[in-house]
Amino acid sequence: MSPVVNRRTVLTAALGAAALTSTPLVTGIGAAKARATSKGDLYASNTALYKALSGQEGSQYARRYRRHEMFDNEQGGRFPYHRTTVLALHAGGIEKGTSELCLGIAGYKPDTLAPLFPGEPLYDYWMFEGLRLPSMGLGSNSELHVTAKHCDDHVALSMAASSLNVLSLHGCKAEQAGVRSGQDARVVVVGGLNPTFKKLLHQELGAHYKTVDGDNFPDLAGADPDNPCNRTMLRKGGQLELTTELRASFFDTDTLAGRAGSTNGEFKKFVGACRKAIARLEAGPDQVIL
């Protein structure tokens, strides 16, 4: 049975120990680097956030992921590489709608986790979600935002590093995507370092939505090599930045609690277009020699 992880008591205990010793929780590929906090971020890395909010996973924030089992016990030949992982680094109440999009593109109904496209492929996914509500008096979910290139969660990075491809989902404001007053604000910015994947995303999404290239918007381009979308086996991947208005159009109830159960036809159309781009990319060669 494929493991589904929502909360991890062992990790919570480890976080408490890390906080006491001031030792980063993650090592190796996910090791925390000495870095300055990005402009607008309260925390310099995921490790810094986990240490500051030790014991608060499940109340202030959550991490959800699914890794589908792959079993190779053959001594001859090469087992196929893992293909695609879907990420949402600022999900929940941080960049609304990206939790549900992450699950949908991975092939799951956001409310029940039943297959959204029966008989079609399911993909691995990882997300970090802000769970704060105004009634908690804990501040805004935006304070839980960690810039993508500073993500050092060991599970997120290990999943990206063991995949040939990543699609990372983000939210932006319309003005960040170049939308001017009076223009349709439902826009998606296509970025990442994989030019083939970008082309396919433009083609599939562009049939239904306005797409713009991340190269024209450096802050949304997903072009940093340290961005998890590019920390794949091929050192390149894809990133989508969706405007607030576009994300809101996917749900009949646009609240933290209501989105998962109120996805509409626009949601499934967007998710389906992303999955078509992934399928077309996966139909090509691995381009990996080990």
Side-chain angles (χ1 to χ4, degrees):
M1 180 180 296
S2 300
V4 182
V5 179
N6 294 313
R7 309 287 184 267
R8 297 176 297 285
T9 55
V10 173
L11 182 56
T12 300
L15 284 167
L20 290 174
T21 61
S22 299
T23 301
L25 175 66
V26 293
T27 57
I29 187 171
K33 301 177 182 178
R35 57 168 70 94
T37 304
S38 290
K39 182 179 179 181
D41 283 355
L42 182 61
Y43 302 104
S45 65
N46 286 68
T47 295
L49 185 152
Y50 300 155
K51 290 169 67 176
L53 301 180
S54 177
Q56 299 302 305
E57 183 169 7
S59 56
Q60 293 206 44
Y61 71 91
R63 287 171 288 175
R64 287 193 282 167
Y65 69 84
R66 184 163 192 162
R67 306 182 85 158
H68 295 86
E69 182 179 16
M70 299 180 73
F71 179 67
D72 179 16
N73 196 39
E74 299 294 330
Q75 292 181 329
R78 187 191 77 186
F79 193 73
Y81 299 118
H82 184 73
R83 303 294 295 190
T84 298
T85 294
V86 186
L87 302 178
L89 306 181
H90 310 131
I94 306 173
E95 293 170 355
K96 65 180 184 179
T98 55
S99 291
E100 295 76 20
L101 287 165
C102 180
L103 291 169
I105 295 170
Y108 296 94
K109 293 182 179 179
D111 54 344
T112 65
L113 296 187
L116 181 59
F117 302 92
E120 293 189 14
L122 298 171
Y123 302 110
D124 286 5
Y125 62 82
W126 183 95
M127 67 182 80
F128 175 90
E129 299 176 288
L131 301 181
R132 291 174 172 176
L133 297 172
S135 59
M136 295 178 178
L138 297 172
S140 68
N141 282 297
S142 62
E143 294 176 350
L144 304 176
H145 180 282
V146 174
T147 296
K149 66 181 179 180
H150 291 169
C151 175
D152 62 354
D153 183 278
H154 65 301
V155 176
L157 295 187
S158 69
M159 292 177 72
S162 59
S163 301
L164 290 171
N165 181 46
V166 159
L167 179 60
S168 187
L169 304 163
H170 294 265
C172 66
K173 296 180 180 179
E175 54 266 31
Q176 292 178 290
V179 177
R180 298 179 180 178
S181 178
Q183 294 180 326
D184 188 347
R186 294 170 295 178
V187 174
V188 56
V189 182
V190 181
L193 290 180
N194 189 329
T196 301
F197 194 25
K198 286 179 61 177
K199 179 180 178 180
L200 296 173
L201 288 166
H202 273 295
Q203 290 175 351
E204 296 297 341
L205 289 169
H208 309 286
Y209 306 96
K210 180 179 179 181
T211 67
V212 295
D213 199 280
D215 291 345
N216 299 318
F217 304 94
D219 290 341
L220 307 179
D224 195 300
D226 285 337
N227 186 318
C229 78
N230 298 317
R231 297 186 69 167
T232 66
M233 293 177 69
L234 300 177
R235 302 299 297 173
K236 58 185 178 180
Q239 175 175 292
L240 298 178
E241 293 267 4
L242 290 75
T243 60
T244 304
E245 291 79 4
L246 179 59
R247 285 174 281 131
S249 73
F250 298 151
F251 309 98
D252 295 331
T253 303
D254 191 16
T255 64
L256 182 60
R259 281 190 287 269
S262 69
T263 58
N264 55 31
E266 285 299 313
F267 174 88
K268 197 166 185 179
K269 183 167 65 175
F270 186 94
V271 164
C274 292
R275 288 174 59 84
K276 286 181 181 178
I278 292 172
R280 291 176 63 188
L281 182 72
E282 290 189 348
D286 288 348
Q287 302 176 4
V288 173
I289 299 176
L290 294 178

